[in-house]
Amino acid sequence: MPHYAMKKYNVGIIGYGWAASAHIEAINKTKQGQVTAIYSSRKLDDAELSAKHGTPIKSYQNLDEMLANPDIHVVDISSYPSQHRDQAIKAANAKKHIILEKPMANSLQEVREIVAAAKANGVKGCVCFECRFSNQFQVTKALIDEGLLGSLHYGEVDYYHGIGPWYGQFRWNTGKKDGGSALLTAGCHALDALLMVMGGEIESVTSFSTKTKSEIFKPYEYDTTSVTLIHFKNGAVGKAAAVVDCLQPYYFHTHLCGSQGSLLDDKFHSMKLHTDKHAWSKLSMKMLDSGDVSDHPYESQFQAFFDALDEGKDMPLTSFPEAMRTFEVIFASDKSAEQGGKPVRIADLD
């Protein structure tokens, strides 16, 4: 047996699919984390898993058995969304910290139950809104924090990614049970990024949804395009489109307007820097230009999570309480779309 360095947090993975492979690699690259267990409904070969991922891994086909292992400190849930609530609550009750792929769950009630279970058991959570840790949004946020755009009064962050049969997620994504809505299944990244850069509390949302006439996306049981208008309590307004039935390259569109300047994707203009307002200035940043999980910044996110565990604190940016705020807006938005665009106040959510 090869010699493995011992790390501080042993992680058990729930669901050995497409996202899990990217999670495992990212966890093993952190200073404190290593994957030592995988639960899957399929029978897996331990020697093969250990050789592939470079850490000794024990596989389980019984989740309770894995959760009963005292040597596992953190559970990473990357199973189907409809399974998230039950698995996360089981993990919390087993006193395991939790990494949870988005969406947290498929209803606001389930999300709240997960957050409550984690709090009751004194465990910490990390939701995979990893775009907050991307170079693009870290640079964007720094620009805002430096005051180069002034006070933001308008922002739009839009998600364009055709999730068709050519994409691994498609086979289960088309059903309402696990896909949920255009926002829940993927557009949540854009709406979450918008909330991060705009800051402030949300008063209400108004949303409309539709779907393409393309035969390619016909298997979808729900509207595959939605647009949400957000009214912030400070008077600012925002927009987030979630378009998972487009036929084009992946595009994470960002446009922010403030009292001192504007930002458009990787370009900006600022009165404070006296840049030419007839031409954009270019920012050096890696754009979010792919839906492939291997391109997502999980490593920096998981590193921040383990660092926060060391300090016994909620992690920055994507803790359970912080992510729940985004899901409140998502479920309010889907409710508004179901009601034909009737505004839904966040305070009125049951």
Side-chain angles (χ1 to χ4, degrees):
M1 190 76 182
H3 175 73
Y4 297 103
M6 289 306 292
K7 290 192 183 180
K8 195 168 182 180
Y9 299 110
N10 293 329
V11 182
I13 303 281
I14 295 180
Y16 189 55
W18 179 59
S21 56
H23 284 210
I24 293 167
E25 189 182 343
I27 289 164
N28 287 341
K29 279 182 179 170
T30 63
K31 294 197 286 281
Q32 308 97 310
Q34 63 186 358
V35 173
T36 58
I38 294 173
Y39 159 75
S40 174
S41 52
R42 294 173 289 142
K43 184 147 179 55
L44 302 170
D45 182 290
D46 292 10
E48 209 175 284
L49 288 173
S50 305
K52 183 179 178 184
H53 299 295
T55 53
I57 292 173
K58 177 173 167 50
S59 64
Y60 293 84
Q61 279 186 286
N62 180 313
L63 180 56
D64 294 335
E65 204 181 308
M66 184 175 91
L67 293 175
N69 182 345
D71 295 332
I72 292 170
H73 313 109
V74 179
V75 163
D76 177 319
I77 301 172
S78 54
S79 53
Y80 295 125
S82 59
Q83 299 172 322
H84 285 186
R85 181 250 177 222
D86 290 353
Q87 291 172 344
I89 288 174
K90 270 189 172 187
N93 289 341
K95 302 288 192 279
K96 312 295 184 191
H97 300 296
I98 301 163
I99 294 169
L100 183 57
E101 247 308 343
K102 57 84 200 158
M104 286 181 76
N106 279 345
S107 73
L108 184 54
Q109 177 63 29
E110 289 183 339
V111 169
R112 286 174 171 164
E113 287 170 6
I114 290 170
V115 176
K119 190 177 178 186
N121 286 286
V123 299
K124 301 297 183 190
C126 164
V127 175
C128 291
F129 277 146
E130 68 282 354
C131 295
R132 289 191 174 212
F133 286 88
S134 68
N135 180 249
Q136 179 179 347
F137 280 94
Q138 288 290 310
V139 172
T140 300
K141 188 77 167 71
L143 202 76
I144 295 165
D145 292 346
E146 289 293 329
L148 295 178
L149 303 182
S151 172
L152 295 179
H153 59 279
Y154 178 72
E156 57 186 46
V157 183
D158 303 314
Y159 183 94
Y160 296 94
H161 180 203
I163 302 177
W166 51 83
Y167 201 64
Q169 196 177 325
F170 181 79
R171 66 184 173 82
W172 56 264
N173 202 50
T174 52
K176 180 91 173 146
K177 180 185 172 191
D178 284 306
S181 71
L183 262 181
L184 263 179
T185 194
C188 54
H189 282 306
L191 190 141
D192 182 63
L194 177 67
L195 299 186
M196 171 186 166
V197 294
M198 294 298 286
E201 294 296 312
I202 292 121
E203 180 65 37
S204 66
V205 297
T206 305
S207 185
F208 294 93
S209 66
T210 186
K211 55 172 35 169
T212 177
K213 289 187 165 56
S214 162
E215 287 293 314
I216 296 167
F217 300 96
K218 206 169 182 184
Y220 276 93
E221 294 174 358
Y222 53 88
D223 281 358
T224 31
T225 287
S226 71
V227 60
T228 300
L229 300 177
I230 299 170
H231 181 214
F232 291 89
K233 285 185 180 173
N234 65 6
V237 290
K239 180 205 109 186
V243 188
V244 296
D245 58 7
C246 54
L247 296 164
Q248 66 171 69
Y250 182 101
Y251 180 37
F252 210 101
H253 168 77
T254 309
H255 197 160
L256 309 173
C257 299
S259 56
Q260 294 285 342
S262 291
L263 173 138
L264 176 63
D265 296 334
D266 58 352
K267 302 177 287 289
F268 80 109
H269 165 69
S270 174
M271 299 287 278
K272 283 196 169 182
L273 298 183
H274 308 290
T275 52
D276 177 2
K277 80 170 187 308
H278 300 292
W280 292 104
S281 298
K282 186 89 166 156
L283 285 160
S284 173
M285 61 162 72
K286 183 185 180 325
M287 296 290 289
L288 287 163
D289 56 7
S290 160
D292 192 335
V293 284
S294 62
D295 293 337
H296 286 211
Y298 289 121
E299 190 186 337
S300 47
Q301 182 184 35
F302 296 161
Q303 185 59 62
F305 182 51
F306 293 135
D307 288 345
L309 288 184
D310 283 349
E311 295 169 25
K313 297 196 307 205
D314 276 349
M315 74 174 299
L317 301 177
T318 59
S319 66
F320 276 1
E322 181 88 6
M324 183 167 72
R325 289 182 63 238
T326 295
F327 281 102
E328 284 176 347
V329 180
I330 289 167
F331 289 115
S333 172
D334 284 346
K335 187 174 179 181
S336 172
E338 278 166 24
Q339 295 175 350
K342 185 178 162 201
V344 172
R345 291 175 71 241
I346 299 301
D348 294 341
L349 287 174
D350 42 27

